[in-house]
Amino acid sequence: MENTSSTSLKIKGNWNEMKGKIKQQYANLTDDDLLYEEGKEDELYGRIQKKTGHTKDEVKKWIDKL
């Protein structure tokens, strides 16, 4: 649970910068795929997961490393 909240806090604080890095690595992700809405982080992870083929945990760990 702690990992989830730290990932969410990181997303809230640096999302525009992170979004650019994500799009560099996964060009098939659109702005709509990367739309961040507070309280809907799971939907964001799901969209990224669907386009990248990674598990939700892999997506969270990857975002934490950005």
Side-chain angles (χ1 to χ4, degrees):
M1 185 71 93
E2 184 176 314
N3 186 32
T4 301
S5 60
S6 75
T7 302
S8 295
L9 287 173
K10 185 170 184 170
I11 288 173
K12 288 177 190 178
N14 305 311
W15 185 241
N16 286 331
E17 180 182 331
M18 292 171 65
K19 195 163 65 167
K21 291 178 181 179
I22 291 169
K23 287 174 89 173
Q24 285 176 358
Q25 191 161 355
Y26 293 99
N28 63 328
L29 288 168
T30 66
D31 285 334
D32 285 342
D33 293 329
L34 298 174
L35 180 64
Y36 170 73
E37 294 180 59
E38 192 167 340
K40 295 189 177 184
E41 289 87 358
D42 284 339
E43 289 179 24
L44 172 66
Y45 299 140
R47 291 190 300 268
I48 295 172
Q49 179 184 354
K50 185 176 179 182
K51 290 277 183 117
T52 63
H54 295 295
T55 66
K56 186 176 178 180
D57 285 337
E58 290 171 332
V59 169
K60 287 180 181 183
K61 287 178 186 175
W62 177 61
I63 288 174
D64 274 340
K65 291 179 184 179
L66 291 178

